[in-house]
Short mmCIF file of all heavy atoms in Angstrom, two decimals:
data_model
loop_
_atom_site.label_atom_id
_atom_site.label_comp_id
_atom_site.label_asym_id
_atom_site.label_seq_id
_atom_site.Cartn_x
_atom_site.Cartn_y
_atom_site.Cartn_z
N ASN A 1 -2.06 -13.57 0.32
CA ASN A 1 -0.62 -13.33 0.45
C ASN A 1 -0.13 -12.36 -0.62
O ASN A 1 0.70 -11.48 -0.35
CB ASN A 1 0.14 -14.65 0.36
CG ASN A 1 -0.08 -15.54 1.57
OD1 ASN A 1 -0.48 -15.06 2.63
ND2 ASN A 1 0.18 -16.83 1.43
N ARG A 2 -0.64 -12.52 -1.84
CA ARG A 2 -0.23 -11.60 -2.92
C ARG A 2 -0.73 -10.19 -2.64
O ARG A 2 -0.01 -9.21 -2.84
CB ARG A 2 -0.77 -12.10 -4.26
CG ARG A 2 -0.33 -11.25 -5.46
CD ARG A 2 -0.72 -11.89 -6.78
NE ARG A 2 -2.15 -12.17 -6.81
CZ ARG A 2 -2.66 -13.41 -6.93
NH1 ARG A 2 -1.86 -14.46 -7.01
NH2 ARG A 2 -3.97 -13.58 -6.95
N THR A 3 -1.96 -10.06 -2.15
CA THR A 3 -2.49 -8.74 -1.79
C THR A 3 -1.63 -8.08 -0.72
O THR A 3 -1.40 -6.86 -0.76
CB THR A 3 -3.95 -8.87 -1.32
OG1 THR A 3 -4.79 -9.09 -2.47
CG2 THR A 3 -4.43 -7.61 -0.62
N LEU A 4 -1.13 -8.86 0.24
CA LEU A 4 -0.25 -8.30 1.26
C LEU A 4 1.07 -7.83 0.65
O LEU A 4 1.59 -6.77 1.03
CB LEU A 4 0.01 -9.34 2.35
CG LEU A 4 -1.17 -9.62 3.30
CD1 LEU A 4 -0.92 -10.87 4.13
CD2 LEU A 4 -1.41 -8.41 4.21
N ARG A 5 1.62 -8.60 -0.29
CA ARG A 5 2.86 -8.16 -0.95
C ARG A 5 2.60 -6.89 -1.76
O ARG A 5 3.44 -5.98 -1.80
CB ARG A 5 3.41 -9.28 -1.84
CG ARG A 5 3.89 -10.50 -1.05
CD ARG A 5 4.67 -11.47 -1.92
NE ARG A 5 3.84 -12.11 -2.94
CZ ARG A 5 3.17 -13.25 -2.76
NH1 ARG A 5 3.19 -13.86 -1.58
NH2 ARG A 5 2.46 -13.78 -3.75
N TRP A 6 1.43 -6.83 -2.42
CA TRP A 6 1.09 -5.62 -3.16
C TRP A 6 0.92 -4.42 -2.22
O TRP A 6 1.30 -3.30 -2.55
CB TRP A 6 -0.21 -5.84 -3.93
CG TRP A 6 -0.08 -6.70 -5.16
CD1 TRP A 6 1.06 -7.22 -5.68
CD2 TRP A 6 -1.15 -7.14 -6.01
NE1 TRP A 6 0.79 -7.96 -6.81
CE2 TRP A 6 -0.56 -7.92 -7.03
CE3 TRP A 6 -2.52 -6.94 -6.00
CZ2 TRP A 6 -1.33 -8.49 -8.05
CZ3 TRP A 6 -3.29 -7.51 -7.01
CH2 TRP A 6 -2.69 -8.28 -8.02
N ALA A 7 0.36 -4.66 -1.04
CA ALA A 7 0.17 -3.57 -0.07
C ALA A 7 1.51 -2.97 0.34
O ALA A 7 1.66 -1.75 0.45
CB ALA A 7 -0.58 -4.08 1.16
N LEU A 8 2.50 -3.83 0.56
CA LEU A 8 3.83 -3.34 0.91
C LEU A 8 4.42 -2.52 -0.24
O LEU A 8 5.03 -1.46 -0.01
CB LEU A 8 4.75 -4.52 1.25
CG LEU A 8 6.17 -4.16 1.68
CD1 LEU A 8 6.17 -3.25 2.89
CD2 LEU A 8 6.97 -5.43 1.96
N ARG A 9 4.20 -2.97 -1.47
CA ARG A 9 4.70 -2.21 -2.63
C ARG A 9 3.99 -0.86 -2.75
O ARG A 9 4.60 0.15 -3.09
CB ARG A 9 4.54 -3.03 -3.90
CG ARG A 9 5.52 -4.20 -4.00
CD ARG A 9 5.13 -5.17 -5.10
NE ARG A 9 5.06 -4.55 -6.42
CZ ARG A 9 4.64 -5.18 -7.51
NH1 ARG A 9 4.25 -6.45 -7.44
NH2 ARG A 9 4.60 -4.56 -8.67
N CYS A 10 2.69 -0.86 -2.47
CA CYS A 10 1.95 0.42 -2.49
C CYS A 10 2.51 1.37 -1.44
O CYS A 10 2.74 2.56 -1.72
CB CYS A 10 0.47 0.17 -2.23
SG CYS A 10 -0.46 -0.55 -3.60
N LYS A 11 2.74 0.87 -0.25
CA LYS A 11 3.29 1.71 0.82
C LYS A 11 4.67 2.23 0.44
O LYS A 11 4.97 3.42 0.64
CB LYS A 11 3.38 0.88 2.11
CG LYS A 11 4.04 1.60 3.30
CD LYS A 11 3.16 2.69 3.86
CE LYS A 11 3.81 3.38 5.06
NZ LYS A 11 3.94 2.49 6.23
N ASP A 12 5.50 1.37 -0.13
CA ASP A 12 6.85 1.78 -0.52
C ASP A 12 6.84 2.82 -1.64
O ASP A 12 7.79 3.59 -1.79
CB ASP A 12 7.67 0.57 -0.96
CG ASP A 12 8.05 -0.33 0.21
OD1 ASP A 12 7.94 0.12 1.37
OD2 ASP A 12 8.45 -1.50 -0.04
N SER A 13 5.77 2.83 -2.44
CA SER A 13 5.72 3.76 -3.57
C SER A 13 5.24 5.15 -3.17
O SER A 13 5.28 6.07 -3.97
CB SER A 13 4.80 3.22 -4.67
OG SER A 13 3.44 3.27 -4.28
N MET A 14 4.78 5.29 -1.94
CA MET A 14 4.33 6.60 -1.48
C MET A 14 5.53 7.52 -1.29
O MET A 14 6.52 7.15 -0.65
CB MET A 14 3.56 6.46 -0.17
CG MET A 14 2.25 5.70 -0.30
SD MET A 14 0.98 6.64 -1.18
CE MET A 14 0.55 7.85 0.08
N ALA A 15 5.42 8.71 -1.85
CA ALA A 15 6.51 9.67 -1.77
C ALA A 15 6.28 10.65 -0.63
O ALA A 15 5.18 10.77 -0.10
CB ALA A 15 6.62 10.43 -3.10
N GLU A 16 7.35 11.38 -0.26
CA GLU A 16 7.23 12.38 0.79
C GLU A 16 6.19 13.43 0.42
O GLU A 16 5.48 13.95 1.28
CB GLU A 16 8.60 13.06 1.01
CG GLU A 16 8.63 14.05 2.15
CD GLU A 16 8.47 13.40 3.52
OE1 GLU A 16 8.72 12.17 3.62
OE2 GLU A 16 8.10 14.09 4.47
N ALA A 17 6.06 13.69 -0.87
CA ALA A 17 5.10 14.70 -1.34
C ALA A 17 3.66 14.24 -1.21
O ALA A 17 2.73 15.03 -1.41
CB ALA A 17 5.40 15.07 -2.79
N ASP A 18 3.45 12.95 -0.89
CA ASP A 18 2.09 12.41 -0.79
C ASP A 18 1.50 12.58 0.61
O ASP A 18 0.52 11.92 0.95
CB ASP A 18 2.10 10.92 -1.14
CG ASP A 18 2.46 10.67 -2.58
OD1 ASP A 18 2.18 11.53 -3.42
OD2 ASP A 18 3.02 9.60 -2.86
N ARG A 19 2.07 13.45 1.41
CA ARG A 19 1.65 13.56 2.80
C ARG A 19 0.17 13.90 2.93
O ARG A 19 -0.49 13.53 3.90
CB ARG A 19 2.50 14.63 3.50
CG ARG A 19 2.40 14.62 5.00
CD ARG A 19 3.42 15.57 5.60
NE ARG A 19 4.78 15.17 5.26
CZ ARG A 19 5.84 15.94 5.47
NH1 ARG A 19 5.71 17.13 6.00
NH2 ARG A 19 7.05 15.51 5.14
N ALA A 20 -0.38 14.61 1.95
CA ALA A 20 -1.79 15.01 2.01
C ALA A 20 -2.73 13.89 1.59
O ALA A 20 -3.94 14.02 1.74
CB ALA A 20 -2.03 16.24 1.14
N MET A 21 -2.20 12.79 1.05
CA MET A 21 -3.04 11.68 0.59
C MET A 21 -2.88 10.51 1.55
O MET A 21 -1.79 9.96 1.70
CB MET A 21 -2.64 11.26 -0.83
CG MET A 21 -3.55 10.19 -1.42
SD MET A 21 -3.20 9.83 -3.18
CE MET A 21 -1.71 8.80 -3.03
N SER A 22 -3.95 10.12 2.20
CA SER A 22 -3.92 8.97 3.10
C SER A 22 -4.10 7.69 2.29
O SER A 22 -4.87 7.66 1.33
CB SER A 22 -5.04 9.07 4.14
OG SER A 22 -4.85 10.20 4.97
N ILE A 23 -3.42 6.64 2.67
CA ILE A 23 -3.50 5.36 1.97
C ILE A 23 -4.05 4.30 2.92
O ILE A 23 -3.65 4.23 4.09
CB ILE A 23 -2.13 4.95 1.37
CG1 ILE A 23 -2.26 3.65 0.59
CG2 ILE A 23 -1.08 4.86 2.44
CD1 ILE A 23 -1.01 3.29 -0.19
N PHE A 24 -4.96 3.49 2.40
CA PHE A 24 -5.60 2.43 3.17
C PHE A 24 -5.12 1.06 2.67
O PHE A 24 -5.13 0.81 1.46
CB PHE A 24 -7.12 2.48 3.01
CG PHE A 24 -7.82 3.51 3.85
CD1 PHE A 24 -7.43 4.85 3.82
CD2 PHE A 24 -8.87 3.15 4.67
CE1 PHE A 24 -8.09 5.80 4.58
CE2 PHE A 24 -9.54 4.09 5.45
CZ PHE A 24 -9.14 5.42 5.40
N GLY A 25 -4.72 0.20 3.59
CA GLY A 25 -4.53 -1.20 3.27
C GLY A 25 -5.87 -1.91 3.30
O GLY A 25 -6.79 -1.49 4.01
N ILE A 26 -6.00 -3.00 2.55
CA ILE A 26 -7.28 -3.69 2.43
C ILE A 26 -7.17 -5.13 2.94
O ILE A 26 -6.38 -5.92 2.42
CB ILE A 26 -7.79 -3.68 0.97
CG1 ILE A 26 -7.89 -2.24 0.46
CG2 ILE A 26 -9.14 -4.39 0.88
CD1 ILE A 26 -8.34 -2.13 -0.99
N VAL A 27 -7.97 -5.45 3.95
CA VAL A 27 -8.01 -6.80 4.52
C VAL A 27 -8.77 -7.72 3.57
O VAL A 27 -9.90 -7.44 3.17
CB VAL A 27 -8.71 -6.80 5.89
CG1 VAL A 27 -8.79 -8.21 6.45
CG2 VAL A 27 -7.99 -5.86 6.86
N GLN A 28 -8.14 -8.82 3.19
CA GLN A 28 -8.80 -9.85 2.40
C GLN A 28 -8.79 -11.16 3.21
O GLN A 28 -8.61 -11.14 4.40
CB GLN A 28 -8.12 -10.00 1.04
CG GLN A 28 -8.39 -8.84 0.09
CD GLN A 28 -9.84 -8.75 -0.38
OE1 GLN A 28 -10.62 -9.69 -0.23
NE2 GLN A 28 -10.21 -7.61 -0.94
N GLY A 29 -9.00 -12.29 2.54
CA GLY A 29 -9.02 -13.56 3.25
C GLY A 29 -10.22 -14.41 2.96
O GLY A 29 -10.38 -15.49 3.55
#
């Protein structure tokens, strides 16, 4: 659950200028 909350924060921190950088979420469990 914490990793999922961190994933949302990572996504929210991506800026418009980061269009060239792809970001991956990580499945845990």
Side-chain angles (χ1 to χ4, degrees):
N1 290 340
R2 183 172 55 242
T3 285
L4 287 167
R5 293 191 293 271
W6 285 356
L8 181 58
R9 287 167 59 185
C10 286
K11 176 72 179 293
D12 288 345
S13 71
M14 294 289 287
E16 185 68 20
D18 294 331
R19 194 172 299 169
M21 186 173 77
S22 296
I23 183 172
F24 280 53
I26 303 178
V27 178
Q28 288 292 345

